[in-house]
Amino acid sequence: MSSIGVGLRKEHYPYLRKGEAVKISWFEAITENYMDTQGRPLEMLESVRKNFPVALHGVSLSILGGSFPDKKYIEKWKELIGRIDPFLVSDHLCWTEQSGNYLHDLLPFPFTKEFLEFAIERAQQVQEILGRKILLENVSTYLSFPQSEMTEWEFISLLSKRSGCGILLDINNIYVNSINHGFSAVEYLSSIPWENVGQIHLAGHTDTGEFLFDTHSKPVSKEVWDLFSSFSDKIRGIPILLEWDEDIPSFPEMEEEALKAKFILESLII
C-alpha cells in the first residue's frame, strides 16, 4: 500500500508541537524554507524528522535556468540533505531564473529535441553533484510553444529514461494542463513509464472560468480523484503527498483530505 504524506507548513507547527496524534506516514518539507536558517523552522523540521520520514521538495533549483548551477544554492542544499537524511529529494522541471533575475514562478519551456538534450545534461549534472537520484516534477502551465516537437509526457519519459532521474508525477498538474492545452490526461498517464515514478502529488486548483489555475488552495477536485482511481493499479506502492499552500485548513482537515487517497486505494482492492 502507498504511504500518505502531507506538506509541512508553518501554520501547523503549534499543532505538531503539542504531540497530537498524526495519522499520515510522512512529511514533505519545502527545501528553501530550511536552507537559510539555523532557527526555529529548522528546529521544527529536525523535531519532525525524529518521528517521521521526510522528503525535501525544492522550488528554486531552476534546472533549466540561465545561471545554472548556483554553487551557493547547491552547497546549502547538500548541507540540508546531510542534516535531514530525506528519503526523497525533488524539484521541478522548469526554470525560475534568467540573468540573475528570480521570477518566483515555475516557468514552462518548449518540448524540443534540443531542450531535451539540455535537460538530460542538467539532470545528470545535479545528480552527480548531489551523489544521489533526484525526482523532477511536471509543472502546471498556462501557455504552450509552437516550436514543441513532442508531447509533455514524451519529453518527461525520455528525460527520465536517459538521465536516470525519477518522476514526481503531479496528477493535478496533468489535469490542469489537459484542460488548459486540450490534451487527454488519460493518454498522458497511460504513456508515462510508471517504473520511474517515485512520488505522486495531489492538490486542488481553481477554475477561473477561462482556464484552470493551480492554486493549491482547495480540496482535490472530483476529476483529479477520478484520474487517481483510474490509475490506482499503477499508483499503489508509490508515496502519495497532498499539497495545500493557500487558505490552509487545520492539520486534521488537511490530513483527512490526504487520507482519501488511502481509502480509495483500499476500497479498490476490496
Side-chain angles (χ1 to χ4, degrees):
M1 181 56 65
S2 299
S3 60
I4 310 297
V6 299
L8 180 62
R9 300 293 181 262
K10 67 180 187 325
E11 288 80 359
H12 297 146
Y13 288 177
Y15 180 88
L16 296 172
R17 284 198 186 96
K18 291 179 183 175
E20 301 280 359
V22 172
K23 299 175 184 176
I24 51 92
S25 303
W26 56 280
F27 286 87
E28 183 183 82
I30 300 297
T31 306
E32 291 79 4
N33 289 350
Y34 304 94
M35 283 171 53
D36 294 313
T37 177
Q38 298 296 318
R40 294 180 65 185
L42 188 55
E43 290 176 7
M44 188 68 217
L45 178 58
E46 290 181 321
S47 175
V48 168
R49 180 64 185 92
K50 289 178 182 176
N51 299 309
F52 297 93
V54 167
L56 288 179
H57 183 52
V59 295
S60 301
L61 174 61
S62 191
I63 193 168
L64 302 179
S67 303
F68 180 90
D70 182 330
K71 292 183 179 178
K72 188 175 181 181
Y73 177 93
I74 296 283
E75 287 173 3
K76 290 182 178 179
W77 192 15
K78 287 187 69 173
E79 182 179 345
L80 184 63
I81 290 172
R83 192 162 186 162
I84 299 302
D85 188 24
F87 73 98
L88 284 176
V89 173
S90 64
D91 207 293
H92 298 82
L93 182 60
C94 67
W95 60 282
T96 63
E97 171 276 337
Q98 187 67 34
S99 303
N101 297 308
Y102 288 86
L103 303 170
H104 304 293
D105 278 310
L106 306 175
L107 297 170
F109 57 91
F111 302 123
T112 63
K113 294 175 184 175
E114 182 179 3
F115 245 98
L116 176 62
E117 298 302 323
F118 183 62
I120 290 169
E121 181 182 341
R122 290 283 179 91
Q124 290 174 332
Q125 193 174 351
V126 173
Q127 293 179 128
E128 287 174 7
I129 293 172
L130 295 182
R132 64 180 295 161
K133 182 176 183 175
I134 64 167
L135 275 60
L136 290 174
E137 178 182 353
N138 57 297
V139 300
S140 54
T141 58
Y142 310 97
L143 59 85
S144 57
F145 296 84
Q147 300 94 332
S148 290
E149 299 169 315
M150 62 189 86
T151 63
E152 180 179 323
W153 56 91
E154 288 171 336
F155 188 98
I156 290 174
S157 298
L158 288 170
L159 170 62
S160 177
K161 289 176 179 176
R162 292 184 52 196
S163 73
C165 77
I167 299 172
L168 197 174
L169 199 62
D170 190 312
I171 297 179
N172 177 63
N173 289 352
I174 291 173
Y175 179 71
V176 165
N177 289 356
S178 74
I179 299 301
N180 289 347
H181 304 308
F183 62 74
S184 166
V186 171
E187 183 179 2
Y188 191 128
L189 287 163
S190 298
S191 304
I192 282 291
W194 282 91
E195 66 275 15
N196 293 355
V197 177
Q199 188 181 343
I200 298 291
H201 269 185
L202 295 167
H205 59 260
T206 298
D207 188 345
T208 70
E210 296 182 357
F211 62 93
L212 301 187
F213 190 31
D214 183 28
T215 52
H216 293 190
S217 63
K218 297 177 180 296
V220 178
S221 71
K222 178 183 181 304
E223 292 83 0
V224 172
W225 281 129
D226 287 346
L227 285 170
F228 180 88
S229 299
S230 297
F231 287 85
S232 60
D233 287 347
K234 303 287 188 183
I235 292 170
R236 196 168 287 117
I238 300 174
I240 298 166
L241 180 103
L242 175 73
E243 293 182 300
W244 205 315
D245 297 306
E246 299 289 341
D247 300 328
I248 298 175
S250 69
F251 187 85
E253 288 175 297
M254 190 169 78
E255 193 176 48
E256 183 178 358
E257 180 69 9
L259 290 173
K260 287 180 182 176
K262 180 181 179 182
F263 299 145
I264 290 171
L265 293 177
E266 289 179 343
S267 66
L268 290 174
I269 289 177
I270 295 171

